[in-house]
């Protein structure tokens, strides 16, 4: 039997099942795809400063975000106690991460990137045993997403104008039910839609800051993740002249990576390391996978990479991420059969 | 001293846990938690050409060890495609070594690249003239010779592309095949983060949580986890309940799934399901 919920937010007005989209939409919104603004002659750099979050403040933020996920005021004392305990313990955890679990919720906070995420596992990842719901609808889920954005702004988490909400990336969680090995696999079914958008700086995407909201097929919020939503942007006192255009750096990429299959190319603000604060500056960023032909058989598809070209100097060495490194392993056993 | 088993080698090198574990197994207790990891990051100029990548299993190796698991992590030219090749018969290709390596541990991991179309692993150095391993055609983890692999993780592009599962990955007689439907970007900490996560949540939900985003935390990856069982209910249970860290996985037997096919035999009927976060197929 389909559960009933007490809805207290505008999202309750959206009935996903009534919409007309089919399961498994065949087309998806462009990844990133932020419209590139007119090329400025130079752009400032920004110091990204994560908030020095006091434990009590973090608990308050997490609670407010949890209330948006749940769609109701949170008066669950055990949840707050668990969260407060986890926050207090986080400095001793393996990576400084806060993980708090309470009935129906999971809260996670990473201090180094000011990433706050609240998940309702029931809607984020639980696969239903009975398949009698109507097909999920992306357009209806989008309406819920829009309502969540309003709530995030009202609660002070974001300023909606800081995000590129016209070019939202849409992914989804899907699954197939358990199937006999001698039968044709069934069509996948969608569990939730996942909308994500980058934060913007001066009209350019900030690749290290974004929000993601997952909406369950029922219309309930499955999770919200905010990465560097609360960071402060302080002009770092240096500007980067824009001497290289996006088409020019795309042409350079094609010369240097003839087998590169581009997922996304754009001028964007990036941090030197995605894992720490620093100075964000505009670069020409190309995300890609190398597809290397082999003498026989299908080509090799490499894991994704990103190359960053300077906007100031067309001949500057690009930065390739992630960095190729090697951590030694164990010796191979000396004898084989 | 000649050591034929990497597990035994690892016991001598690393941990007291695996000195204890076999004794526990002999007494009817839980079997040893064993793992086998191969990782290639250098793919240029060695005879199997592709693109260099970052190291992503070193921390996982540490976490496994500190959580009572024992095993080997081989890297670079020490990784052979034949370590994943079925050893029971040359019909799977000559010189298979899986009973000593990839199919001699409960949890087996490869980090590197895959071929377009899915169902394969690509290595950085040729061994006996071979650079790749085709699941199904060459590999029969969890069955035949070795038959100890219960969980296989492929930190590669395309290996678990959904349209390839029936012809390739599903021939591995494991409880779960864990990997990607597209070309992922993988942070160096993510496999370890996944393992740590499984102390409180299922392998499946942790896999989706930790692997949907790339190195920069953008939602670009399509992680997928395929679960298997003798019945639909059992496959569901594996998907929903298996936690690699806190609970010894599967039905706790020392090996892959029950009723594993013998050398060259057809697979008995089984059930499988999958769940993924879809962020595109890319060039797979």
């Amino acid at each position: 039997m389909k559960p009933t919920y007490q809805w207290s937010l505008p999202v309750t007005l959206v009935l996903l099942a009534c919409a007309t989209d089919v399961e498994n939409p065949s087309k998806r919104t462009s990844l990133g795809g932020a419209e590139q603004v007119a090329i400025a002659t130079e752009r400032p750099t920004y110091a990204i400063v994560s908030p020095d979050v006091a434990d009590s403040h973090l608990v308050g933020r997490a609670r407010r975000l949890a209330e948006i996920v749940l769609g109701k005021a949170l008066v669950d004392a055990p949840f707050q106690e668990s969260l407060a305990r986890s926050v207090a313990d986080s400095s001793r955890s393996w990576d400084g991460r806060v993980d708090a679990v309470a009935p129906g919720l999971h809260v996670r906070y990473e201090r180094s990137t000011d990433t706050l995420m609240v998940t309702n596992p029931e809607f984020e990842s639980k696969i239903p045993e009975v398949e009698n719901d109507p097909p999920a609808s992306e357009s209806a889920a989008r309406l819920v997403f829009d309502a969540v954005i309003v709530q995030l702004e009202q609660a002070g988490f974001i300023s909606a104008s800081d995000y590129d909400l016209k070019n939202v990336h849409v992914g989804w969680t899907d699954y197939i039910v358990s199937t006999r090995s001698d039968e044709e696999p069934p069509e996948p079914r969608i569990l939730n839609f996942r909308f994500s958008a980058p934060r913007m700086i001066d009209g350019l995407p900030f690749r290290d800051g974004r929000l993601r909201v997952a909406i369950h097929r029922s219309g309930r919020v499955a999770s919200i993740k905010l990465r560097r939503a609360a960071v402060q942007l302080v002009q770092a006192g240096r500007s980067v002249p824009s001497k290289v255009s996006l088409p020019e750096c795309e042409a350079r990429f094609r010369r240097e990576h003839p087998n590169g299959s581009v997922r996304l190319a754009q001028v964007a603000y990036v941090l030197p390391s995605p894992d720490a604060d620093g100075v964000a500056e505009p670069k020409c960023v190309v995300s890609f996978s190398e597809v290397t032909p082999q003498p026989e058989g299908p080509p090799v598809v490499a894991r994704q990479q990103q190359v960053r070209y300077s906007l100031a100097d067309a001949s500057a060495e690009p930065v390739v991420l992630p960095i190729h490194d090697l951590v030694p392993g164990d010796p191979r056993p000396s004898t084989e059969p | 001293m000649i050591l034929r088993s990497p597990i035994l080698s690892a016991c001598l090198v690393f941990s007291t846990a695996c000195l204890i574990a076999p004794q526990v197994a002999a007494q009817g207790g839980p079997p040893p938690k064993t793992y086998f990891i191969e990782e290639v990051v250098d793919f240029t100029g060695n005879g199997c050409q592709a693109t260099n990548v970052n190291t992503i299993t070193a921390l996982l190796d540490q976490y496994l060890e500190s959580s009572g698991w024992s095993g080997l992590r081989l890297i670079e030219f020490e990784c052979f495609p034949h370590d994943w090749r079925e050893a029971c018969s040359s019909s799977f290709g000559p010189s298979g070594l899986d009973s000593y390596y990839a199919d001699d541990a409960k949890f087996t991991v490869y980090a590197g690249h895959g071929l377009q179309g899915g169902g394969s692993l690509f290595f950085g150095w040729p061994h006996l003239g071979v650079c790749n391993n085709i699941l199904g055609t060459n590999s029969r983890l969890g069955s035949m010779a070795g038959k100890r692999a219960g969980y296989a993780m492929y930190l590669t592009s395309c290996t678990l592309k959904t349209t390839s599962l029936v012809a390739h990955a599903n021939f591995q007689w494991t409880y779960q095949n864990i990997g990607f439907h597209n070309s992922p970007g993988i942070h160096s900490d993510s496999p370890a983060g996944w393992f740590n996560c499984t102390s409180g949540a299922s392998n499946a939900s942790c896999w989706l949580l930790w692997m949907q985003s790339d190195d920069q935390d953008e939602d670009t990856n399509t992680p997928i986890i395929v679960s298997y069982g003798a019945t639909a209910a059992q496959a569901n249970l594996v998907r929903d309940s298996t936690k690699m860290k806190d609970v010894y996985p599967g039905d706790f037997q020392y090996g892959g799934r029950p009723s594993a096919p013998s050398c060259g035999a057809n697979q008995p009927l089984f059930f499988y399901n999958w769940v993924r976060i879809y962020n595109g197929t890319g060039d797979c």
Side-chain angles (χ1 to χ4, degrees):
Chain A
M1 183 165 60
K2 193 170 180 178
T4 56
Y5 304 102
Q6 289 192 336
W7 298 63
S8 61
L9 297 170
V11 296
T12 60
L13 300 176
V14 179
L15 299 175
L16 293 189
C18 297
T20 55
D21 286 8
V22 295
E23 187 86 15
N24 274 331
S26 59
K27 59 182 181 180
R28 50 201 292 265
T29 308
S30 165
L31 273 169
E35 295 167 17
Q36 298 292 298
V37 296
I39 297 174
T41 54
E42 63 176 31
R43 290 186 173 278
T45 58
Y46 288 91
I48 304 298
V49 183
S50 287
D52 185 12
V53 180
D55 287 0
S56 58
H57 182 61
L58 177 56
V59 171
R61 283 177 70 197
R63 176 183 167 170
R64 285 200 302 279
L65 197 60
E67 289 177 337
I68 294 175
V69 170
L70 286 174
K72 63 180 182 183
L74 191 58
V75 291
D76 184 355
F79 168 77
Q80 294 186 68
E81 290 167 9
S82 167
L83 186 61
R85 196 164 47 247
S86 178
V87 168
D89 290 346
S90 63
S91 61
R92 297 191 296 274
S93 72
W94 67 289
D95 56 358
R97 178 175 288 122
V98 173
D99 272 303
V101 178
L105 280 180
H106 182 215
V107 177
R108 188 173 168 201
Y109 183 70
E110 296 172 12
R111 293 181 188 276
S112 62
T113 57
D114 183 40
T115 300
L116 178 60
M117 181 174 179
V118 176
T119 302
N120 185 337
E122 175 81 14
F123 302 118
E124 176 79 353
S125 57
K126 185 176 181 184
I127 308 299
E129 291 196 11
V130 180
E131 297 287 326
N132 55 10
D133 285 346
S137 158
E138 180 182 329
S139 59
R142 173 66 196 233
L143 293 176
V144 182
F145 167 72
D146 292 342
V148 169
I149 292 296
V150 171
Q151 294 167 47
L152 288 172
E153 187 161 35
Q154 288 173 343
F157 283 105
I158 64 167
S159 172
S161 60
D162 286 346
Y163 290 84
D164 182 13
L165 297 175
K166 290 180 181 171
N167 293 287
V168 172
H169 164 61
V170 186
W172 55 82
T173 305
D174 62 358
Y175 63 95
I176 65 167
V177 296
S178 289
T179 302
R180 286 172 61 108
S181 56
D182 58 353
E183 292 180 352
E184 281 291 308
E187 283 297 308
R189 292 176 65 84
I190 290 179
L191 183 69
N192 56 50
F193 290 99
R194 314 178 73 77
F195 302 91
S196 64
R199 190 170 171 179
M200 306 294 282
I201 300 178
D202 288 347
L204 293 180
F206 172 37
R207 296 283 290 264
D208 298 289
R210 60 186 52 250
L211 62 78
R212 182 181 68 222
V213 179
I215 307 297
H216 188 256
R217 58 186 296 138
S218 66
R220 296 293 301 269
V221 179
S223 64
I224 300 175
K225 181 179 181 180
L226 303 173
R227 182 178 175 90
R228 292 197 172 94
V231 297
Q232 294 179 343
L233 307 178
V234 181
Q235 286 210 8
R238 185 169 62 88
S239 293
V240 175
S242 295
K243 297 178 179 175
V244 182
S245 69
L246 180 60
E248 286 170 332
C249 82
E250 286 179 305
R252 179 178 176 185
F253 174 81
R254 283 193 293 273
R255 286 195 306 274
E256 296 178 350
H257 298 273
N259 295 322
S261 175
V262 176
R263 181 183 67 81
L264 178 65
Q266 63 182 186
V267 175
Y269 274 92
V270 290
L271 287 168
S273 165
D275 297 331
D277 290 346
V279 175
E281 64 177 86
K283 298 267 190 184
C284 175
V285 181
V286 183
S287 297
F288 68 103
S289 297
E290 291 276 2
V291 181
T292 309
Q294 299 299 305
E296 294 179 5
V300 179
V301 181
R303 300 205 306 257
Q304 264 184 55
Q305 292 177 285
Q306 186 181 96
V307 62
R308 299 173 172 184
Y309 295 108
S310 167
L311 293 176
D313 181 358
S315 62
E317 238 355 79
V319 174
V320 179
L321 295 174
I323 295 169
H324 168 58
D325 58 357
L326 175 65
V327 177
D330 302 318
R332 190 177 174 90
S334 58
T335 298
E336 287 158 11
Chain B
M1 183 178 178
I2 295 174
L3 297 172
R4 290 174 61 87
S5 164
I7 293 172
L8 293 178
S9 328
C11 281
L12 289 182
V13 172
F14 295 120
S15 75
T16 53
C18 56
L19 295 176
I20 298 168
Q23 297 170 15
V24 175
Q27 294 164 5
K33 300 177 179 181
T34 54
Y35 68 90
F36 175 73
I37 298 172
E38 287 198 338
E39 175 161 27
V40 179
V41 298
D42 185 350
F43 286 88
T44 53
N46 309 311
C48 301
Q49 192 65 27
T51 306
N52 293 347
V53 284
N54 56 322
T55 295
I56 54 177
T57 67
L59 196 57
L60 172 65
D61 184 36
Q62 288 179 26
Y63 274 37
L64 285 163
E65 273 194 57
S66 62
S67 299
W69 290 65
S70 61
L72 268 188
R73 175 175 171 268
L74 302 182
I75 62 165
E76 304 293 64
F77 56 84
E78 294 190 325
C79 306
F80 300 169
H82 299 72
D83 297 341
W84 297 73
R85 182 176 283 189
E86 176 52 49
C88 80
S89 164
S90 60
S91 63
F92 299 99
S95 306
L97 295 170
D98 75 333
S99 58
Y100 294 86
Y101 296 99
D103 207 5
D104 191 35
K106 188 77 176 179
F107 177 38
T108 193
V109 180
Y110 178 68
H113 295 314
L115 300 178
Q116 198 171 62
S120 60
L121 311 175
F122 187 79
F123 293 76
W125 278 260
H127 183 67
L128 303 176
V130 175
C131 291
N132 59 48
N133 178 81
I134 310 298
L135 302 182
T137 305
N138 304 129
S139 280
R140 298 298 174 103
L141 299 174
S143 65
M144 304 183 193
K147 62 179 180 183
R148 285 179 174 165
Y151 298 82
M153 177 178 286
Y154 315 103
L155 299 167
T156 56
S157 295
C158 312
T159 303
L160 296 186
K161 184 179 181 183
T162 54
T163 51
S164 76
L165 295 177
V166 170
H168 297 289
N170 282 2
F171 280 100
Q172 315 315 301
W173 201 253
T174 51
Y175 287 102
Q176 287 182 318
N177 283 314
I178 305 169
F180 294 89
H181 168 87
N182 75 343
S183 167
I186 303 177
H187 193 285
S188 59
D189 294 350
S190 292
W194 165 81
F195 177 70
N196 201 49
C197 171
T198 60
S199 64
S202 69
N203 289 351
S205 60
C206 288
W207 185 247
L208 302 184
L209 172 69
W210 274 90
M211 295 296 173
Q212 64 189 291
S213 306
D214 67 4
D215 194 55
Q216 209 171 6
D217 207 41
E218 293 188 47
D219 295 329
T220 61
N221 299 347
T222 301
I224 179 171
I225 184 162
V226 192
S227 303
Y228 301 86
T231 64
Q234 193 177 80
N236 289 343
L237 190 66
V238 169
R239 178 194 62 207
D240 297 335
S241 304
T242 308
K243 298 172 183 171
M244 192 66 87
K245 187 175 181 186
D246 262 9
V247 180
Y248 194 70
D251 64 358
F252 315 117
Q253 67 164 3
Y254 184 41
R257 275 181 275 158
S259 308
S262 57
C263 188
N266 291 329
Q267 290 178 308
L269 174 75
F270 64 91
F271 285 75
Y272 73 103
N273 60 61
W274 58 252
V275 57
R276 68 181 175 180
I277 288 182
Y278 186 84
N279 282 308
T281 300
D283 291 284
C284 287

